[in-house]
């Protein structure tokens, strides 16, 4: 029982060990002319277990994600699929 507590305590004191796969990515894009698309893109990204948080503004999307479950190309594709009308990540 003491050994189990030591492991839990170690993880609690070393957050880097528990979330080593968590990364942040920022995607610049073109094609938006108003802020109405942002909430839909954020919601679509957060539906996946890989995305911890998402914030969409008029010129970029910032995503905190677990790279064990997705990668930058998949995130960019999700953003493009969730945005209505012409929209291009990285443009």
């Amino acid at each position: 029982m003491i050994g189990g507590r030591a492991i839990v305590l170690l993880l609690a004191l070393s957050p880097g060990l528990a979330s080593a796969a968590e990364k942040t990515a920022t995607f610049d894009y073109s094609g938006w002319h108003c802020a109405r698309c942002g909430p839909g893109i954020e919601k679509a990204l957060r539906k996946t277990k890989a995305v911890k948080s998402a914030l969409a503004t008029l010129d970029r999307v910032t995503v905190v994600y677990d790279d064990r479950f997705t990668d930058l190309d998949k995130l960019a594709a999700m953003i493009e699929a969730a945005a209505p009308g012409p929209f291009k990540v990285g443009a």
Side-chain angles (χ1 to χ4, degrees):
M1 194 60 107
I2 292 174
R5 287 187 189 151
I7 291 171
V8 171
L9 183 60
L10 174 64
L11 290 174
L13 294 176
S14 304
L17 291 175
S19 60
E22 189 173 284
K23 299 204 175 183
T24 300
T26 301
F27 298 89
D28 293 329
Y29 54 82
S30 63
W32 260 11
H33 301 289
C34 69
R36 291 185 307 205
C37 298
I41 291 174
E42 292 169 358
K43 184 177 179 181
L45 287 167
R46 286 192 292 249
K47 284 183 179 180
T48 69
K49 72 177 182 178
V51 175
K52 306 299 182 198
S53 68
L55 176 64
T57 64
L58 281 175
D59 61 349
R60 71 183 43 138
V61 178
T62 302
V63 183
V64 177
Y65 68 100
D66 187 328
D67 72 350
R68 295 175 296 176
F69 301 111
T70 194
D71 58 38
L72 295 176
D73 291 334
K74 290 177 186 173
L75 290 171
M78 285 191 287
I79 293 167
E80 288 181 358
F87 186 86
K88 184 65 180 162
V89 171

